[in-house]
Amino acid sequence: MSKSVQSLYTYTFLLPAGVIYALFFLAPTFLSFFYSLTIWTLSEWRFTGLDNFAIFLSEPSLVIGFRNTLVYATVSASLKVVLGFLLAAFLTSELRTKGFLRSLIYFPNIVSTIAVGIMFSSFLHPSKGIVNVLLALIGIDGPDWLGNPSIALLSVALVDVWKGVGIAMVIFIAGIQAIDRQYYEAARIDGASSFDALRHITLPLSRSSMNTVIMLAFIGGLRSFDLIWVMTKGGPGFTTDLVASIIYKQFQGGFYGIATAGNVILFLIVSAFAIPLYRIITKKEVDL
Amino acid sequence: MNTIKMKKLIIEIIATLLALALFGVPFYFVVVNSGKDAAAAARMTLSFPETTQYLDNFRQVITASNSMLIRAFFNSFIISAATIIVLIVIASSAGFVLGRRKGKAVNIISFLVLAGLMVPPAIVPTIWLLRTLGLYKSLTGLILVEAAIMFPFTLLLYRGYVTTIPRELDEASLIDGTGPVKMFSLVIFPLLKPVSVTVTIINAITIFNDFVHPLYFLPGAKNATVQLTLYNFMSTFSTKWNLLYADVLIISIPPLIFFILFNSKIVSGMVAGAVKG
């Protein structure tokens, strides 16, 4: 009986998906390893070994992309984790406006990145932008958020947090709502404060949502392109270039081999973090 | 007791005001400034427009560069709709088999699909492939690439739901002598409707808002998508903030309608996809 039921789950059902996914995602990924070792015009290629990678690792305007990508992903992901968790803890308590607040904070997620980038480019205008106008009201001379090389990258990372904290929040909310209420009652009877409950019940039992948020936010951060491209185009100079924006610049310049090497490097960076991060955080999960 | 309640109320009021300031004011700013004239919008204030010219601004945005925006809306709708249809067909059938079968082959396939959730797509080789197939700079080419890129996420949603459908249904149709294709399309696929709805909503917003893939795979004026026109308007309208804001407003309307209609579905779908990934 069960053997013949298996015949209903025919592998032919995988064929349409397999063809599209293999052709338009897997094949280019495998090809990228080869073409990253060439000088490539799309119609012709010449093998050059690891030259493209050497250029990536020696050219200062390209090397800066590694540092920036790591800083950007770390800053935006850690803020999303911390703020997303606190917002979720607050918005799962008894509040009249919690439905409204959840929607409000989630809303930037469905607005396009380009639109958000344009909005914040004007808010962060050094003299007229509302951020600095408001800071001036309380006597602070606001900086040139996007024009000052030492803070431009962080400014964009903060905008990324503003746009993306809502998704972190709803993932945490789902996790917190799955926690058995009895733990909280027991803690209250034992005289624990609400901070104690947050620290010793909510936080450890949200571990699996936290893992999801860390993975999503960090890997999303490593791959970021559009927000930085709309807001700074990698400038001033190359100070906010990410690996993904460097790939685009090399592509625009017609350096297809170097652009593809950048793609392979991004692939390796993402895998280098994704695989161990996935192992570590799945091990630490609390069993109860 | 009463002072505790009072304290809670005050905290709630402060939190609500803070959230409104941080998340509401930016959108309010765009709405008021898209109705001003260029000089007033350039002052970048939160004040209400003295003379509103919404219709005039919208008309200028829509008719700019030979009514590029209309073409862009048309293209974006076609791309989103076609990609979603392709995704529903390929991911529901694949999700069914992968949700039912076990074994080494299924594990390898699952790994390859999971990798697609994290790894960035290889840009130039994809362009080379599209060129070789004669699909570069065509809507069809972008639709197929978007479908491949959104496939892992969509598949996970379907596969997760398939495991909740009792296998007795399969056995019953086996006894009836129904073949796999008929069984899937008449029995299983209708039961997957909740996932199909979620998949449609989430992919519609993601693909409509996508900027990177049209930028690489669909260059050229007649191929504009809404996000590409918005990006290009940044240089065309660099001094006319009122028109830029009006453009932001117009382009955000379709996702906004989706958000109002399907708020809870969007959130639960995003969470389900994220957690399973």
Side-chain angles (χ1 to χ4, degrees), chain B:
Chain B
M1 195 63 192
N2 257 336
T3 53
I4 293 176
K5 265 191 180 161
M6 203 54 197
K7 220 168 147 188
K8 270 192 173 165
L9 188 69
I10 291 170
I11 291 177
E12 184 168 355
I13 291 171
I14 292 173
T16 310
L17 290 176
L18 203 64
L20 274 174
L22 279 172
F23 291 92
V25 168
F27 295 108
Y28 169 82
F29 179 89
V30 170
V31 173
V32 293
N33 279 287
S34 57
K36 294 179 182 173
D37 58 45
R43 284 196 290 274
M44 296 184 178
T45 61
L46 282 169
S47 65
F48 219 71
E50 284 155 27
T51 50
T52 53
Q53 47 177 53
Y54 280 100
L55 289 179
D56 193 45
N57 286 351
F58 288 156
R59 193 183 47 76
Q60 280 197 61
V61 169
I62 292 168
T63 54
S65 338
N66 294 322
S67 306
M68 177 86 90
L69 193 62
I70 295 172
R71 170 117 215 164
F73 260 99
F74 177 77
N75 284 343
S76 285
F77 280 127
I78 299 279
I79 293 164
S80 309
T83 309
I84 289 166
I85 292 170
V86 171
L87 275 170
I88 288 179
V89 171
I90 66 173
S92 64
S93 50
F96 172 62
V97 172
L98 292 177
R100 285 292 195 244
R101 276 190 178 259
K102 283 195 177 67
K104 215 169 193 168
V106 171
N107 288 344
I108 294 170
I109 295 168
S110 296
F111 171 78
L112 286 174
V113 172
L114 269 178
L117 271 183
M118 309 194 180
V119 168
I123 301 292
V124 191
T126 309
I127 290 175
W128 174 81
L129 186 85
L130 290 174
R131 253 175 52 139
T132 312
L133 297 171
L135 294 173
Y136 185 46
K137 300 184 186 179
S138 75
L139 295 186
T140 316
L142 182 64
I143 289 163
L144 290 167
V145 173
E146 292 274 15
I149 288 167
M150 295 311 289
F151 171 67
F153 164 80
T154 310
L155 176 84
L156 287 174
L157 286 185
Y158 273 116
R159 195 185 64 179
Y161 198 81
V162 161
T163 53
T164 67
I165 296 174
R167 280 166 188 264
E168 283 75 20
L169 281 175
D170 312 354
E171 280 159 21
S173 39
L174 192 73
I175 294 164
D176 291 346
T178 325
V181 175
K182 222 173 159 192
M183 192 267 303
F184 175 73
S185 48
L186 295 180
V187 181
I188 304 295
F189 185 73
L191 293 172
L192 295 172
K193 197 180 153 203
V195 192
S196 302
V197 172
T198 309
V199 159
T200 303
I201 297 166
I202 307 238
N203 282 314
I205 293 177
T206 312
I207 297 165
F208 187 84
N209 282 343
D210 186 18
F211 168 69
V212 184
H213 303 115
L215 178 73
Y216 276 118
F217 305 126
L218 203 61
K222 71 175 172 55
N223 289 329
T225 68
V226 283
Q227 303 306 329
L228 288 178
T229 44
L230 183 56
Y231 174 74
N232 291 331
F233 278 5
M234 278 178 74
S235 41
T236 322
F237 294 151
S238 60
T239 53
K240 296 177 181 158
W241 284 98
N242 55 337
L243 298 186
L244 257 178
Y245 297 137
D247 200 3
V248 167
L249 200 61
I250 292 175
I251 278 170
S252 305
I253 287 171
L256 177 68
I257 293 173
F258 260 67
F259 185 68
I260 292 167
L261 292 178
F262 306 111
N263 183 355
S264 60
K265 264 245 143 51
I266 295 174
V267 172
S268 62
M270 288 263 181
V271 171
V275 172
K276 280 180 190 118

Side-chain angles (χ1 to χ4, degrees), chain A residues 26-169:
Chain A
L26 295 178
T29 304
F30 287 116
L31 282 175
S32 70
F33 284 92
F34 172 74
Y35 282 114
S36 66
L37 304 172
T38 66
I39 292 178
W40 190 22
T41 62
L42 285 185
S43 39
E44 282 169 41
W45 56 269
R46 190 159 57 78
F47 193 76
T48 56
L50 292 170
D51 282 6
N52 291 332
F53 293 93
I55 291 171
F56 244 101
L57 295 172
S58 59
E59 186 76 37
S61 65
L62 303 184
V63 178
I64 194 170
F66 296 107
R67 194 192 62 101
N68 286 346
T69 303
L70 287 178
V71 170
Y72 185 88
T74 311
V75 170
S76 64
S78 45
L79 283 174
K80 281 178 195 169
V81 171
V82 174
L83 297 174
F85 175 74
L86 294 175
L87 283 169
F90 183 64
L91 292 177
T92 44
S93 60
E94 281 168 38
L95 297 173
R96 260 157 288 226
T97 50
K98 82 179 158 196
F100 168 73
L101 290 180
R102 284 182 195 178
S103 302
L104 184 66
I105 296 168
Y106 188 79
F107 184 68
N109 262 291
I110 62 133
V111 178
S112 81
T113 311
I114 306 302
V116 168
I118 290 176
M119 284 163 62
F120 276 86
S121 299
S122 70
F123 300 159
L124 296 175
H125 189 281
S127 57
K128 296 186 292 184
I130 41 175
V131 173
N132 278 359
V133 169
L134 289 176
L135 286 177
L137 284 182
I138 51 170
I140 298 173
D141 193 11
D144 184 356
W145 298 98
L146 299 172
N148 180 340
S150 53
I151 57 167
L153 187 69
L154 292 178
S155 304
V156 182
L158 289 181
V159 176
D160 188 39
V161 173
W162 179 86
K163 187 182 189 314
V165 74
I167 185 85
M169 174 191 75

